[in-house]
Amino acid sequence: MSTTDGEVTKPGLGAQLGGHLRENGMVLALLVIVLFFTILIRAMQGVDFLSAQNITNLFLQNSYVIIMALGMLLVIVSGHIDLSVGSVAAFTGAVSAFLTVKLGWPVFAVIPATLLMGGLIGAAQGYWIAYWKIPSFIVTLAGMLVFRGLTLWLLQGQNIGPFPREFQAMSTGFLPDFISEGKPNMTALVMVALAALAIVWSGLRGRRSDAAFGVEPEPAGLFWGRHAIVVGALMFVGWKLAQFRGLPNVLIVMSVLIVIYAFFTEQTTTGRRIYALGGNEKAARLSGIKTDRLVFGTFVNMGVLAALAGMIVTARLNSATPKAGTGFELDVIAAVFIGGASMSGGSGKIIGVVVGALIMGVMNNGMSIMGIGIDYQQVIKGLVLLAAVIFDVYNRNKQG
Amino acid sequence: MAAILEMRGIGKSFPGVRALDQVNLSVEPGEIHAICGENGAGKSTLMKVLSGVYPHGSYDGEIVYDDQTAAFRTIRDSEARGIIIIHQELALVPQLSVAENMFLGNEVASGGIIDWKRTWKRTRELLAKVGLSEAPTTPVGKLGVGKQQLIEIAKALAKDVRLLILDEPTAALQENDSAKLLDLMLELKAQGVTQIIISHKLNEIRRVADRVTVIRDGSTVSTLTRDEITEDRIIRDMVGRDMAHRYPDRTPQIGEVLMSVRNWTVWHPEQPRKIIDDVSFDVRRGEILGIAGLMGSGRTELAMSLFGRSHGRNIEGTASIAGAPADLSTVSRAIEAGLAYVTEDRKELGLILEEPIQRNISLANLAGIASGGVLSAGRERRVAEDYRRDLRIRTPGVNQRVMNLSGGNQQKVVLAKWLFTDPKVLILDEPTRGIDVGAKFEIYTLMNQLVAQGHGVVMISSEMPELLGMCDRIHVMNEGRFVGELSRDEASLERIMALILQSEGKAA
């Protein structure tokens, strides 16, 4: 026992703000990285990093990482890992191509069938992990090989494509402008403004409930400063997108999923139980939580999201290729850890994961524009991942 | 005769706890010296001081061994002088062979290359000394616990032992294995090996010990010679007599039967033997029912098997709560039926240390703070604040992580979690383990409040005085069976120990 019962352990202000600091720190890091590339690329090449087209590209290139990272967060929070997502995305993408191109199925049938396929794959892996207690590392390592092999088999080593327009629209389509014609795209602007308002509103609501229950609220200056930055960034992105072709369909799908998963993890009993399971599985089980079923569920969910990502990637390339999705699992897992999830499970937030994935994505994109070789890119990305996690561990140790 | 070992005025502190204070121990060459005391009295700490687990300088007092002041800094130092300790949990590697275990860290080798022929030859000689004839290449995991214990002793002999310390050597053994081990101790004594035995089993102590030193609350109470060794005397010295005012007063108001369990039988999760054998009991409204027993008697296993079959297999028997048959087949059903179980290990099994108080309190009843599966942060905080006030959980706020709380406050969080499930009967397993005296009193007071509100409480504890001070009725448990029931007036430490000893080894 470090303290006696008489006295009360009071952590310092720093520790109390620790959670906020980390999230703010990540958003700040993202902004700094964006600024860094903007200045550098302008200076070196005279190109605008934040051009409408490049911002659009950023989302198109990274949507699948973010979508899979949502599911990966749940897997990692529950104390597991999924190494198979890249192969599963490739395989499900190949299945969707096979159904569409070879069998001529319509899009509205291909999408649910492919998602179902992903769910079944997740179930097949989750079954061994949840009910047989086979380590997820091993099961999904096996899955990584199996589904890569099945992809090669299904595609016979060749590409399948091209796709009908409706299928491509999933990835490369844009939301049409209902309100006006020409530039700027008013629908995009209105939707982004609504999203910004929603963020401020939910922030204020949280603040009110903090005040109502006597929780020390975040200082008003910090709160408004943070929201000003977030809303500013959002409106800037919206304005830029509106100058180009409007909101990409993928961005909308991704945003809706982010909101759903944020709500699920923070506001629902099932979400809470996943965190409890990752925090202390034995205590969770002795509190009446069906831990096996939850683990199984997180893998099924991961499979479905991998299938969605697989279709998006396939649609973007306009063909299913045997090598699609190679190395995705590493990007996705890196995004989750940069976003602040703990390797041992039990902690991590959706918003952190999204920021983590964007940091990786911006760095990929920026370094490519600058013409940095793939060799250095890998080194730099690896060091960023390591630095983010060291920062996390250091912070946690300091808080004791 | 000059003593081979003199420990004088030994004291040892841990943060917040004075584990040993003024312990004196004198062991003569060639004797078997027993050390007795309740759980937590400081026996194991004393042996760790002696063997160098706690290095010289981290404790007070003086150790004289073989007429020299001993200043051991590691276990290797003490082993080099022939002091070898065999712990309660065996330190054998199950996958390795008998011979490999025997010379682990002490290999028969030259230049780092093991001489297997000599290893096996010496292993066979040593095994013969302890009465075993196993092949040196047999994996240790294939042998029973009794034989493993003998191999530990053979391993000690391999190191030219002069002072052999056995910490509860028979705790996990069946009767005939225990007898063999005690015979071996007497044989080693005849060969001149001095031995110290720590044991709860007073009949065994009487059989082998030449002298007994009794420790209570970290101090030596007495050293008894062979003619003075009687069970009554040892128990009296172990327990002491200053028990007034450690427990809050309560006038029991006992009502109808709240929970009854009939013919509860549980099998070991891996081995083909019963760990709970035909246990039946009732808990009444407003009653604190105690379950007394030594470590390994099956108390926790009973509670865990009742609570959603969280331990053991082939569970048979029936349970009813508030007059209706209770379905206890899963934890959530047991909670539904009105049962709550506060585990003995709050950090491992009770709490999510990284999470804040409010989230720990709501964990077992998330439905209570949600509607349609959506949590209400407001309701969660209100619930946590209510319990913080009612149970006087001392914290700057309910959003504090529980890892920052003291043991007593952590225990209150666990209690709050279970109270929020609105249980009819609470099973409290070692509810005051590892918390200080003031917090203990608060937990006792809370227990009294719970029964006054009409709950039934089952209290499991290794601390007999606590059971005697708190319980209306005590069931005595040994080797998986209930071996006696004592009312508050009948109950005494002597009678509990007597019931345990009388039942020893009678299991089928």
Side-chain angles (χ1 to χ4, degrees):
Chain A
M1 256 180 300
S2 54
T3 54
T4 58
D5 281 70
E7 71 191 61
V8 155
T9 16
K10 186 157 193 156
L13 185 70
Q16 280 190 344
L17 288 177
H20 292 300
L21 265 180
R22 190 186 193 288
E23 276 162 48
N24 295 342
M26 291 307 295
V27 175
L28 219 62
L30 177 61
L31 288 175
V32 168
I33 291 171
V34 168
L35 213 66
F36 172 80
F37 279 118
T38 310
I39 293 170
L40 217 63
I41 290 172
R42 163 77 31 96
M44 288 170 63
Q45 290 163 325
V47 181
D48 185 8
F49 180 64
L50 291 177
S51 69
Q53 183 168 1
N54 199 41
I55 289 178
T56 306
N57 269 343
L58 261 173
F59 286 117
L60 295 186
Q61 283 168 2
N62 292 295
S63 54
Y64 58 86
V65 173
I66 293 179
I67 285 170
M68 286 196 282
L70 300 176
M72 189 65 80
L73 176 73
L74 297 186
V75 169
I76 287 175
V77 162
S78 75
H80 292 276
I81 194 96
D82 190 342
L83 301 173
S84 72
V85 293
S87 296
V88 172
F91 179 64
T92 49
V95 167
S96 71
F98 190 80
L99 295 177
T100 312
V101 178
K102 298 267 159 145
L103 302 185
W105 285 26
V107 175
F108 66 84
V110 170
I111 291 177
T114 308
L115 294 179
L116 180 70
M117 186 69 174
L120 289 175
I121 290 171
Q125 301 193 84
Y127 171 74
W128 300 110
I129 296 161
Y131 298 106
W132 285 68
K133 313 287 174 219
I134 315 278
S136 53
F137 190 96
I138 292 167
V139 172
T140 59
L141 183 64
M144 183 176 169
L145 295 167
V146 166
F147 293 107
R148 180 61 60 191
L150 287 178
T151 310
L152 292 170
W153 167 78
L154 186 64
L155 297 175
Q156 297 293 315
Q158 291 166 344
N159 293 2
I160 297 186
F163 289 93
R165 277 187 62 87
E166 311 88 74
F167 192 88
Q168 288 181 50
M170 219 185 335
S171 176
T172 52
F174 292 82
L175 193 69
D177 194 351
F178 307 109
I179 302 172
S180 66
E181 283 179 31
K183 310 267 164 78
N185 182 315
M186 287 310 288
T187 308
L189 279 182
V190 169
M191 286 184 74
V192 170
L194 285 176
L197 275 178
I199 288 174
V200 174
W201 178 74
S202 90
L204 280 174
R205 210 169 136 249
R207 238 175 117 69
R208 256 209 314 280
S209 100
D210 276 5
F213 294 100
V215 176
E216 186 80 15
E218 194 183 359
L222 190 61
F223 174 83
W224 286 112
R226 190 159 58 97
H227 279 76
I229 293 175
V230 170
V231 168
L234 208 59
M235 288 311 295
F236 176 78
V237 168
W239 173 253
K240 286 287 186 178
L241 291 175
Q243 301 298 321
F244 191 54
R245 298 173 62 187
L247 294 183
N249 290 339
V250 163
L251 179 62
I252 293 170
V253 171
M254 190 181 88
S255 306
V256 169
L257 285 176
I258 290 171
V259 170
I260 290 174
Y261 277 85
F263 178 79
F264 173 75
T265 52
E266 286 170 33
Q267 309 278 330
T268 67
T269 52
T270 312
R272 172 69 63 85
R273 287 183 179 136
I274 295 175
Y275 283 82
L277 146 73
N280 185 343
E281 185 180 356
K282 288 180 195 158
R285 201 168 333 122
L286 283 173
S287 300
I289 292 171
K290 297 189 172 65
T291 53
D292 299 351
R293 205 180 289 176
L294 278 179
V295 170
F296 181 72
T298 60
F299 278 93
V300 172
N301 172 70
M302 184 71 248
V304 172
L305 289 178
L308 178 59
M311 283 190 286
I312 290 173
V313 171
T314 309
R316 186 172 143 73
L317 298 174
N318 199 14
S319 81
T321 78
K323 301 203 90 175
T326 311
F328 279 13
E329 58 280 340
L330 301 179
D331 284 341
V332 171
I333 292 168
V336 173
F337 287 129
I338 290 178
S342 144
M343 186 77 205
S344 52
S347 69
K349 283 185 141 191
I350 289 292
I351 187 67
V353 165
V354 172
V355 173
L358 285 176
I359 286 180
M360 289 295 267
V362 166
M363 290 190 33
N364 276 335
N365 181 282
M367 290 191 292
S368 296
I369 293 178
M370 285 174 67
I372 295 177
I374 193 81
D375 40 5
Y376 290 111
Q377 286 198 24
Q378 301 259 11
V379 172
I380 292 168
K381 272 159 59 181
L383 292 178
V384 167
L385 169 64
L386 187 63
V389 175
I390 289 173
F391 175 71
D392 232 22
V393 170
Y394 173 74
N395 254 357
R396 216 163 285 175
N397 288 345
K398 220 170 52 178
Q399 284 176 45
Chain B
M1 205 182 328
I4 183 172
L5 174 73
E6 280 276 1
M7 299 179 81
R8 294 191 201 112
I10 302 293
K12 169 83 189 159
S13 293
F14 296 105
V17 190
R18 183 84 177 151
L20 295 179
D21 192 28
Q22 287 297 320
V23 177
N24 297 303
L25 176 67
S26 168
V27 180
E28 288 171 7
E31 75 167 338
I32 297 181
H33 196 112
I35 298 179
C36 286
E38 284 191 283
N39 292 332
K43 298 163 297 186
S44 296
T45 311
L46 183 67
M47 290 305 108
K48 284 179 180 167
V49 166
L50 172 59
S51 60
V53 173
Y54 301 132
H56 179 72
S58 72
Y59 55 86
D60 312 327
E62 190 189 18
I63 302 176
V64 179
Y65 175 66
D66 244 359
D67 298 327
Q68 289 173 32
T69 302
F72 304 132
R73 301 209 58 86
T74 66
I75 296 188
R76 285 194 95 92
D77 290 350
S78 63
E79 285 191 350
R81 302 281 307 277
I83 300 178
I84 297 198
I85 182 162
I86 297 176
H87 292 282
Q88 207 172 339
E89 302 87 27
L90 299 179
L92 298 170
V93 185
Q95 292 86 353
L96 294 185
S97 71
V98 172
E100 283 166 323
N101 268 291
M102 196 88 79
F103 294 100
L104 197 61
N106 188 23
E107 287 82 1
V108 187
S110 53
I113 296 165
I114 294 176
D115 182 345
W116 285 111
K117 283 202 176 128
R118 267 183 59 217
T119 302
W120 288 328
K121 185 162 166 285
R122 289 205 54 198
T123 303
R124 261 185 232 109
E125 291 166 10
L126 290 164
L127 287 178
K129 277 193 187 172
V130 297
L132 288 177
S133 54
E134 258 61 29
T137 48
T138 316
V140 161
K142 292 226 165 124
L143 304 176
V145 193
K147 285 184 177 172
Q148 291 190 17
Q149 188 70 262
L150 294 177
I151 286 171
E152 279 273 19
I153 294 177
K155 190 176 160 186
L157 296 178
K159 292 173 187 165
D160 296 323
V161 62
R162 298 190 52 224
L163 175 59
L164 181 64
I165 303 163
L166 298 133
D167 190 355
E168 305 228 23
T170 60
L173 299 191
Q174 305 287 338
E175 189 70 7
N176 52 344
D177 283 336
S178 298
K180 257 187 224 160
L181 187 105
L182 296 176
D183 286 342
L184 178 62
M185 286 184 72
L186 292 171
E187 214 177 294
L188 291 176
K189 180 186 157 189
Q191 293 168 19
V193 179
T194 313
Q195 293 162 79
I196 294 176
I197 177 173
I198 295 174
S199 180
H200 277 299
K201 299 189 178 173
L202 301 182
N203 54 340
E204 295 179 355
I205 288 176
R206 255 203 346 208
R207 195 167 142 209
V208 297
D210 299 302
R211 291 192 302 156
V212 178
T213 293
V214 181
I215 296 178
R216 180 173 75 229
D217 295 335
S219 305
T220 303
V221 179
S222 57
T223 296
L224 310 174
T225 59
R226 179 121 195 109
D227 342 316
E228 291 171 313
I229 301 177
T230 64
E231 286 175 14
D232 284 350
R233 177 70 201 274
I234 294 175
I235 290 170
R236 202 167 71 223
D237 286 348
M238 269 167 65
V239 179
R241 275 295 158 211
D242 50 340
M243 280 167 51
H245 298 302
R246 280 169 63 186
Y247 306 98
D249 289 331
R250 169 171 62 99
T251 316
Q253 295 193 313
I254 295 173
E256 78 280 8
V257 172
L258 260 187
M259 176 180 181
S260 74
V261 173
R262 289 288 172 273
N263 310 108
W264 200 257
T265 298
V266 181
W267 291 74
H268 190 280
E270 284 115 32
Q271 298 163 12
R273 62 184 173 91
K274 290 177 186 172
I275 43 175
I276 304 296
D277 192 359
D278 199 25
V279 164
S280 301
F281 66 93
D282 291 328
V283 191
R284 292 170 173 275
R285 181 184 294 280
E287 179 183 48
I288 299 181
L289 171 68
I291 298 182
L294 302 174
M295 273 184 196
S297 59
R299 300 164 306 179
T300 296
E301 289 79 359
L302 172 63
M304 294 268 276
S305 64
L306 281 169
F307 192 62
R309 311 200 169 175
S310 304
H311 187 89
R313 63 189 168 90
N314 294 350
I315 296 171
E316 290 163 33
T318 57
S320 63
I321 291 177
D327 179 1
L328 306 178
S329 58
T330 68
V331 173
S332 44
R333 282 183 195 149
I335 294 171
E336 194 96 338
L339 189 61
Y341 171 53
V342 174
T343 57
E344 60 176 335
D345 187 340
R346 62 180 165 269
K347 288 186 178 173
E348 279 286 312
L349 305 175
L351 292 167
I352 302 176
L353 292 170
E354 298 265 343
E355 293 213 336
I357 295 168
Q358 58 198 15
R359 289 173 75 134
N360 273 284
I361 289 178
S362 62
L363 186 62
N365 182 18
L366 286 173
I369 55 158
S371 32
V374 178
L375 299 169
S376 157
R379 257 150 85 188
E380 180 167 53
R381 278 197 208 135
R382 208 168 315 146
V383 166
E385 286 292 348
D386 286 349
Y387 281 113
R388 175 194 177 182
R389 192 186 56 239
D390 293 350
L391 307 191
R392 288 190 288 175
I393 301 170
R394 275 181 278 276
T395 167
V398 293
N399 56 346
Q400 283 295 304
R401 294 180 182 188
V402 292
M403 64 194 287
N404 295 330
L405 299 179
S406 67
N409 282 311
Q410 285 181 347
Q411 190 69 332
K412 289 181 195 168
V413 173
V414 180
L415 276 173
K417 169 170 105 172
W418 288 111
L419 290 178
F420 187 49
T421 65
D422 192 22
K424 296 186 177 71
V425 175
L426 291 105
I427 304 176
L428 309 182
D429 198 348
E430 306 281 1
T432 65
R433 174 177 286 176
I435 64 183
D436 61 40
V437 180
K440 276 186 185 177
F441 194 84
E442 283 191 277
I443 299 284
Y444 297 145
T445 309
L446 269 172
M447 289 172 63
N448 286 350
Q449 283 168 10
L450 290 179
V451 288
Q453 289 160 12
H455 294 90
V457 168
V458 179
M459 181 182 190
I460 297 173
S461 177
S462 301
E463 293 185 36
M464 306 266 178
E466 174 178 87
L467 289 175
L468 295 172
M470 290 299 297
C471 297
D472 300 304
R473 205 151 51 88
I474 295 175
H475 277 295
V476 180
M477 198 169 184
N478 192 32
E479 296 174 345
R481 291 168 303 131
F482 275 11
V483 296
E485 179 183 347
L486 300 167
S487 71
R488 190 183 188 102
D489 300 329
E490 296 168 325
S492 69
L493 226 138
E494 290 80 357
R495 294 183 78 152
I496 294 176
M497 289 310 289
L499 282 169
I500 292 173
L501 295 175
Q502 282 160 16
S503 70
E504 199 68 45
K506 282 185 193 155

